[in-house]
Amino acid sequence: MGVRLADLVEHLGGSISGDANLIVAGIAPLEHADASSITFLSNPKLRKQAGDTLAAAIIVKASDAEFLRDQFNGTLIVVDNPYAYFAKAAQFFAALTKQPIAVGVHPSAVVDPSAKIAASASIGPLVCIEADVVIEDNVRIDAGCFIGRGAKIGADSHFHANVSWHHDCRIGQRAIIYSGAVIGGEGFGFASEAGRWIKIPQTGGVAIGDDVEIGANTCIDRGALSDTIIEDGVKLDNQIQIGHNCFIGANTAMAGCVGVAGSAKIGRNCTFGGAAMVLGHLTIADNVHISSGSMVSRSINEPGQYTGFYPLAKNADWEKTAVIVRNLDSLRDKVRAMEKTIQALTESTNATPTKDLT
Amino acid sequence: MGVRLADLVEHLGGSISGDANLIVAGIAPLEHADASSITFLSNPKLRKQAGDTLAAAIIVKASDAEFLRDQFNGTLIVVDNPYAYFAKAAQFFAALTKQPIAVGVHPSAVVDPSAKIAASASIGPLVCIEADVVIEDNVRIDAGCFIGRGAKIGADSHFHANVSWHHDCRIGQRAIIYSGAVIGGEGFGFASEAGRWIKIPQTGGVAIGDDVEIGANTCIDRGALSDTIIEDGVKLDNQIQIGHNCFIGANTAMAGCVGVAGSAKIGRNCTFGGAAMVLGHLTIADNVHISSGSMVSRSINEPGQYTGFYPLAKNADWEKTAVIVRNLDSLRDKVRAMEKTIQALTESTNATPTKDLT
Amino acid sequence: MGVRLADLVEHLGGSISGDANLIVAGIAPLEHADASSITFLSNPKLRKQAGDTLAAAIIVKASDAEFLRDQFNGTLIVVDNPYAYFAKAAQFFAALTKQPIAVGVHPSAVVDPSAKIAASASIGPLVCIEADVVIEDNVRIDAGCFIGRGAKIGADSHFHANVSWHHDCRIGQRAIIYSGAVIGGEGFGFASEAGRWIKIPQTGGVAIGDDVEIGANTCIDRGALSDTIIEDGVKLDNQIQIGHNCFIGANTAMAGCVGVAGSAKIGRNCTFGGAAMVLGHLTIADNVHISSGSMVSRSINEPGQYTGFYPLAKNADWEKTAVIVRNLDSLRDKVRAMEKTIQALTESTNATPTKDLT
């Protein structure tokens, strides 16, 4: 079950300073690593701790390697980006212990005869696949998933158990969809007439690129007349809601519980902290970073980090400040009035001695 | 696949100004419509754009029809509420392309023999229906749904795949329930004793009216001793949480990620923006509108729009204002102290010249 | 279907003042109770109302019993904690009407032959159980659940329909898991490299103690290298998100829509109001109580109640205060400048009369 460091470097790059024939069994954080594992140092502040690690080898950048050569007896793997290298090494080790998947369609699955399912795909127990679905090579659909009519799933994708994937929604290659995700539910669209809601049929779909991850119980609604669009490399955590006709640019990542209302257009390489919310029909530029718990209520044209949540306090202190916030306009009015009074006082005080002097 | 305008108007009302024999294939927004489609104008600001549309016909109100008669060569359908008419027309077109549904119970479904299922209903693959369930005419239950003992589903309702509908919960006619919704889970009720939580059994149900829509992954808890109640025409978007024993009045609509804590009583014709939150045991009047991201912490007796979220700012600016908010009481105390000082100064300054004058 | 009060007290404790042979059919709140039911008084403010109840018997504490002896003709059950006693009595009555559960594996379930399932367990229709799962005595797994390879479910636990429980996740005895919950999805872990996200495999599990309740559509992610840990007696409501490698201490309770980001360490006996959010890697002490809608952005070392949400206001008022909040630093700067001016004025005014007097 071990991996020779030379083999790891052959696959993932980097240069070895030390024993290239060392065999390691896995990867572990600095403080838990032992002689059978490699570890990594990505934060220079942990240099000292890295010197004390029991790991067989450390993944480091060149500047830290310099420092560690005196402090650490083991082997160094010198790379440009130790954290990304750690991620790839962890994938490498995980692949070694991966359970083999049964290829083919489980007899308890219900598959429409018109569906085109690659011979290399794995369709789990109690899955339902409707008419005209296309499932490409090496796709894995776990137990209890529903794949609606006309959907298309790109090669090497993995749907975890109990995903609901609605008709005519498409996703590219290497997708990972977690349990309970609902893709292609109908958007929340109504016209109001005489106090009642008239449903607007949602006839668009959801079009998703390659290398997209969609978290557990996350929802992406289908578009009203055209598609909801998720570009390549987008990563969505759990419990996220993406409204109809949203556009999410490539490589944007959203943490858990984020909500994006309908028709919002979000740029590329953005990040959203947990429970951030975006109102509908807004536009957010590329490289915008929204902090957790923040409500985006206007479009953002300039890259940068944006925040908006009420600071936490002891409850009694919050009660005090909340009352003042609620009445901030009267505080501001007081300050304005005082400014005028002071202005008048200053003039009169300055005037008084002047008069006295004349 | 086309529809003659005269036939559309016969079904939906309105009057035609132009060619009533025109045949159109669908409906599209102003900017995407072509000669095979109709479009609509509901916002007078888009009048100019409507004049330039390539659509065969436009749905307009009388005041805009006046303006467009000179600007637009096609046909006008004149109606009172173009947006509601658009919704109905879209439903009309959607019905034309609707997939036929297989009536009957799919052989892979597990249905208790005591369940009463209308002959016109469609029970999809891998559905589980427990004892004493009643399913009325034309109901459609998609793959993987669970319908618990004693539940009742009104005519013409549609449950999308993988809904969990618990025992003894009832819903009226024309419901639409989206995937992953959980109705009738047990409410969060505990008594505290010596630092441990004692569960309070939740023996009420959920009683839901006609024409209700429940979004994907939305939860409605059953009541503790009596029912949770959702009135006719309520529309709930995705990822919503409704606590035990809530009451939601007719035609109230809630956008995604809203949370309503237990025993809240919400009026009719209310709207809740995304991620709005309502504390437990509150009462909210009819016609109250809560903005997105707002926390309702007190009962609301007066109709109107209410808001409460921290405004977004560049992170550095937020950090500055957040510190001031946290210390607002000291800022207010300073202002109060200054007021007194100014008052004293004013008196003494006024006094000084007065003295001088005597 | 009735219960003799003497039998109730024999099971649950307390002392009877009145007719111990009375037979009651159930439990109801003060205002709805009738002669066939018992009720309870836990809030002394409701003493007067309790005097008027039509219930056959009231659960009270000694101090209220004193008062009620003159006001109420029925029987009193005197206990230390009437609300906790009510919960236990309600459990007692609920057990009497509990539906019998079919023991054994439903023929439509797909169970790997290597799974060890207790003979007393009930595995519902359309359940999927993978290899090496262990299911202990009296466990009930309802329709459509997925239990992944190597999972372990403790005795007397109940999984409601459509739970997704991933490989190698363990839970103790007497668990209740509601529909749509997803336990052991992969945490949201990525390293960034050249603008793209590299997935970090999540190879830890989820380890959960005894007497834990997990609400509908709640997610708990598995750990990256080590386990996510939930201690005994934790109660999680619906729609909650617990990130990878979190630790939640015993008897902590969280209301609906709470989010806890990865690696947060939360103490024992804490409570979280609905939609409270906790950033990653924070530490929260025992006995901390977070109000609904509050964002915890720093570690909390001291027990107590903490709050942080923007107070709700009429929209027009909010718009005014929000502008001031956004510019609070300029208001504070004005106040600072005024302080200096006033200081100078005070000195000069004090100086002026003094001069005059000399």
Side-chain angles (χ1 to χ4, degrees), chain A residues 91 98 138-142 145 153-161 163 165 171-183 208-218 220 230 233-238, chain C residues 166 184-190 197-202 222:
Chain A
Q91 286 179 14
K98 210 180 168 183
N138 305 312
V139 165
R140 174 179 167 189
I141 309 281
D142 287 348
C145 286
I153 316 295
D156 301 309
S157 293
H158 180 189
F159 282 41
H160 287 258
V163 166
W165 189 274
I171 193 162
Q173 302 191 343
R174 295 173 299 280
I176 309 179
I177 316 296
Y178 291 97
S179 294
V182 179
I183 310 305
I208 307 179
D210 292 331
D211 298 299
V212 168
E213 217 173 297
I214 299 175
N217 284 345
T218 281
I220 305 176
I230 313 286
V234 167
K235 309 294 181 187
L236 303 179
D237 197 359
N238 300 346
Chain C
H166 289 279
E186 294 190 22
F188 199 62
F190 299 94
W197 300 106
I198 315 291
K199 182 174 179 64
I200 299 168
Q202 306 286 306
R222 63 194 315 117

Side-chain angles (χ1 to χ4, degrees), chain A residues 146-148 151-153 159 162-171 176-178 180-187 204-208 212-223 228 230 236-237 240-242, chain B residues 160-161 178-180 216-217 238:
Chain A
F146 165 80
I147 313 285
K152 193 178 167 196
I153 316 295
F159 282 41
N162 291 330
V163 166
S164 299
W165 189 274
H166 289 279
H167 68 90
D168 298 313
C169 296
R170 292 94 63 203
I171 193 162
I176 309 179
I177 316 296
Y178 291 97
V182 179
I183 310 305
E186 293 190 24
V206 181
I208 307 179
V212 168
E213 217 173 297
I214 299 175
N217 284 345
T218 281
C219 301
I220 305 176
D221 282 339
R222 62 193 319 118
T228 300
I230 313 286
L236 303 179
D237 197 359
I240 288 174
Q241 156 65 5
I242 306 291
Chain B
H160 287 259
Y178 291 97
S179 295
N217 284 344
N238 300 345

Side-chain angles (χ1 to χ4, degrees), chain B residues 99-302:
Chain B
Q99 298 289 319
I101 302 304
V103 161
V105 176
H106 192 277
S108 65
V110 176
V111 179
D112 188 277
S114 67
K116 288 191 188 70
I117 298 178
S120 58
S122 164
I123 309 300
L126 306 163
V127 165
C128 173
I129 296 182
E130 292 193 334
D132 301 322
V133 164
V134 176
I135 292 186
E136 296 185 347
D137 284 339
N138 305 312
V139 165
R140 174 179 166 191
I141 308 282
D142 287 348
C145 286
F146 165 79
I147 314 286
R149 176 174 41 83
K152 192 176 168 197
I153 317 293
D156 301 309
S157 294
H158 179 188
F159 282 41
H160 287 259
N162 291 329
V163 166
S164 300
W165 189 274
H166 289 279
H167 66 91
D168 298 313
C169 297
R170 292 95 62 204
I171 194 162
Q173 302 191 344
R174 295 173 299 281
I176 308 179
I177 315 296
Y178 291 97
S179 295
V182 179
I183 310 306
E186 293 189 25
F188 199 63
F190 299 94
S192 174
E193 188 184 52
R196 305 189 58 203
W197 300 105
I198 315 290
K199 183 173 179 67
I200 299 167
Q202 307 286 306
T203 57
V206 181
I208 308 181
D210 292 332
D211 298 301
V212 168
E213 218 174 296
I214 299 175
N217 284 344
T218 281
C219 301
I220 304 176
D221 281 339
R222 64 194 314 118
L225 294 166
S226 54
D227 289 344
T228 300
I229 295 174
I230 313 285
E231 289 198 330
D232 292 349
V234 167
K235 309 295 181 186
L236 302 179
D237 197 359
N238 300 345
Q239 306 268 27
I240 288 174
Q241 157 66 5
I242 307 291
H244 54 174
N245 296 105
C246 284
F247 173 97
I248 302 186
N251 299 317
T252 282
M254 298 184 173
C257 307
V258 162
V260 182
S263 300
K265 189 175 181 317
I266 293 175
R268 294 175 173 168
N269 305 306
C270 296
T271 60
F272 288 73
M277 293 286 151
V278 181
L279 293 192
H281 296 273
L282 302 186
T283 300
I284 296 183
D286 295 348
N287 298 302
V288 165
H289 305 284
I290 305 293
S291 300
S292 296
S294 300
M295 161 66 72
V296 182
S297 57
R298 297 181 192 193
S299 291
I300 298 180
N301 304 315
E302 206 183 320

Side-chain angles (χ1 to χ4, degrees), chain A residues 27-29 32 40 81 83-88 90-92 94 99 106 108 125-126 140 142-143 158 160-162 174 176 178-180 211 213 216-217 233-239 251-257 269-271 274-275 292-294 297-298 309-316 318 321-323 325-332 334-336 338-339 342 345-346 349-350 352-353 356, chain C residues 108-110 126-128 130 144-146 149 162-164 166 180-182 185-201 203 216-221 225-226 238-242 257-259 277 279 290-291 294-298 300 302-303 305-313 317-318 320-321 323-326 328 331 334-335 338-339 341-342 345 348-349 352 356:
Chain A
I27 193 156
H32 296 135
F40 67 101
N81 182 339
Y83 194 57
Y85 197 96
F86 148 68
K88 291 175 192 168
Q91 286 179 14
F92 190 87
Q99 297 288 321
H106 192 276
S108 65
L126 306 164
R140 174 179 167 189
D142 287 348
H158 180 189
H160 287 258
N162 291 330
R174 295 173 299 280
I176 309 179
Y178 291 97
S179 294
D211 298 299
E213 217 173 297
N217 284 345
V234 167
K235 309 294 181 187
L236 303 179
D237 197 359
N238 300 346
Q239 305 268 27
N251 299 317
T252 283
M254 297 183 174
C257 307
N269 306 305
C270 295
T271 59
S292 297
S294 301
S297 57
R298 297 182 190 190
F309 64 84
Y310 201 101
L312 193 78
K314 288 196 176 181
N315 187 61
W318 174 83
T321 61
V323 169
V325 164
R326 209 182 273 123
N327 297 294
L328 262 180
D329 56 338
S330 80
L331 187 68
R332 183 207 47 198
K334 265 185 198 168
V335 169
R336 282 182 180 166
M338 284 161 57
E339 280 187 311
I342 289 173
L345 273 173
T346 307
T349 310
N350 288 345
T352 309
D356 284 347
Chain C
S108 66
V110 176
L126 305 163
V127 165
C128 173
E130 292 193 334
C145 286
F146 166 79
R149 176 174 41 82
N162 291 328
V163 166
S164 300
H166 289 279
V182 180
E186 294 190 22
F188 199 62
F190 299 94
S192 173
E193 186 183 52
R196 305 190 57 205
W197 300 106
I198 315 291
K199 182 174 179 64
I200 299 168
T203 56
N217 284 344
T218 281
C219 301
I220 304 175
D221 282 340
L225 294 166
S226 53
N238 300 346
Q239 305 267 27
I240 288 174
Q241 156 66 6
I242 306 291
C257 307
V258 162
M277 294 286 151
L279 293 191
I290 305 293
S291 300
S294 301
M295 161 66 73
V296 181
S297 58
R298 298 182 190 191
I300 299 180
E302 206 181 322
Q305 176 91 28
Y306 295 81
T307 306
F309 64 84
Y310 201 101
L312 193 78
D317 294 334
W318 173 83
K320 259 189 284 182
T321 60
V323 168
I324 306 175
V325 164
R326 209 181 273 123
L328 263 180
L331 186 69
K334 265 185 197 167
V335 168
M338 283 162 58
E339 280 188 310
T341 312
I342 289 171
L345 274 171
S348 96
T349 309
T352 311
D356 284 346

